[in-house]
Amino acid sequence: DAGITQSPRHKVTETGTPVTLRCHQTENHRYMYWYRQDPGHGLRLIHYSYGVKDTDKGEVSDGYSVSRSKTEDFLLTLESATSSQTSVYFCATQGEGNQPQHFGDGTRLSIL
Amino acid sequence: GDSVTQMEGPVTLSEEAFLTINCTYTATGYPSLFWYVQYPGEGLQLLLKATKADDKGSNKGFEATYRKETTSFHLEKGSVQVSDSAVYFCALRTGGGSNYKLTFGKGTLLTVNP
């Protein structure tokens, strides 16, 4: 499978604090994605990137920002965390053409 | 917009039973269709895919056929095992170029008892 590493794997933090999640890939894939997974909602796209410095919003982007300064890293930032952002966050990557997306193991984020 | 509807479950079966998880979709254009599986505490893994009408995806004994006329991609397995216990997600992808995005169903929890 694609070499995707998410860090941290678990984090507990307080409301109002900034949080940054990192996704690192070793496959040189062009496309990278951030999803959140919540009971009853499946996976919902937060932001995605189609190249270095090229990003766009997904369906649940409010309260989140992203950055991609190099191919292998895609950062997700919660500027001021809220309890509604407690979730499991997954990063995914995709190569060119009609390739499937590959997923990391997730980050479990709890905001108290 | 694009959407995926799958049976919500949970589904509980005995070992060696037949499995069907229904998935229907709404999409513009001609989507590619996927089934992903998520084992406890892990990320999603691609189980199988189909990229055009009448294609059959298969892997590990699971099968699904892309039916354009019924806009469906039902997952089947003839004889489930305890190790198949997981959450299964149906997904579609439309777009291309800079706009590859997956739309997921809500997932179906499968529990297989010995």
Side-chain angles (χ1 to χ4, degrees), chain A residues 1 9 30-31 33 35 37 40-43 45 48 50 57 90 94 97-105, chain B residues 32 34 36 38 41-46 49 51 87 89 93 96-107:
Chain A
D1 208 350
R9 292 294 315 279
R30 176 183 175 187
Y31 304 95
Y33 306 83
Y35 294 90
Q37 183 179 24
H41 290 278
L43 274 77
L45 182 65
Y48 66 102
Y50 47 95
K57 297 178 179 180
F90 287 98
Q94 181 187 319
N98 202 14
Q99 297 299 309
Q101 287 185 20
H102 298 275
F103 285 78
D105 288 335
Chain B
S32 295
F34 304 85
Y36 282 85
Q38 183 180 32
E42 298 183 10
L44 278 71
Q45 301 175 24
L46 178 67
K49 68 174 183 177
T51 57
V87 181
F89 291 93
R93 184 176 66 199
S98 64
N99 199 30
Y100 284 115
K101 286 185 285 186
L102 281 177
T103 300
F104 285 89
K106 294 183 179 181

Side-chain angles (χ1 to χ4, degrees), chain B residues 41-84:
Chain B
E42 298 183 10
L44 278 71
Q45 301 175 24
L46 178 67
L47 182 58
L48 52 85
K49 68 174 183 177
T51 57
K52 61 182 187 299
D54 299 325
D55 269 1
K56 177 185 283 188
S58 61
N59 186 27
K60 299 181 181 179
F62 291 89
E63 294 183 339
T65 301
Y66 188 162
R67 301 286 188 200
K68 189 170 184 294
E69 63 276 14
T70 55
T71 62
S72 65
F73 193 53
H74 304 321
L75 182 68
E76 297 181 336
K77 187 175 185 182
S79 176
V80 294
Q81 305 300 311
V82 171
S83 58
D84 294 327

Side-chain angles (χ1 to χ4, degrees), chain A residues 14-34:
Chain A
E14 295 183 346
T15 301
T17 60
V19 177
T20 295
L21 308 183
R22 180 182 184 234
C23 178
H24 178 79
Q25 57 131 336
T26 59
E27 298 295 315
N28 201 36
H29 284 169
R30 176 183 175 187
Y31 304 95
M32 298 186 75
Y33 306 83
W34 277 108

Side-chain angles (χ1 to χ4, degrees), chain A:
Chain A
D1 208 350
I4 302 171
T5 305
Q6 292 187 231
S7 58
R9 292 294 315 279
H10 303 272
K11 187 173 182 67
V12 180
T13 190
E14 295 183 346
T15 301
T17 60
V19 177
T20 295
L21 308 183
R22 180 182 184 234
C23 178
H24 178 79
Q25 57 131 336
T26 59
E27 298 295 315
N28 201 36
H29 284 169
R30 176 183 175 187
Y31 304 95
M32 298 186 75
Y33 306 83
W34 277 108
Y35 294 90
R36 60 179 289 174
Q37 183 179 24
D38 304 288
H41 290 278
L43 274 77
R44 293 180 291 174
L45 182 65
I46 305 171
H47 281 279
Y48 66 102
S49 170
Y50 47 95
V52 174
K53 293 188 168 57
D54 291 324
T55 65
D56 205 349
K57 297 178 179 180
E59 64 176 299
V60 290
S61 59
D62 287 348
Y64 301 95
S65 62
V66 291
S67 65
R68 192 166 178 204
S69 59
K70 46 187 177 178
T71 299
E72 55 266 36
D73 288 326
F74 192 33
L75 304 181
L76 176 71
T77 297
L78 291 65
E79 301 288 350
S80 178
T82 68
S83 58
S84 65
Q85 294 174 311
T86 292
S87 186
V88 181
Y89 291 84
F90 287 98
C91 173
T93 73
Q94 181 187 319
E96 293 286 355
N98 202 14
Q99 297 299 309
Q101 287 185 20
H102 298 275
F103 285 78
D105 288 335
T107 293
R108 185 172 295 276
L109 177 63
S110 297
I111 300 163
L112 308 178

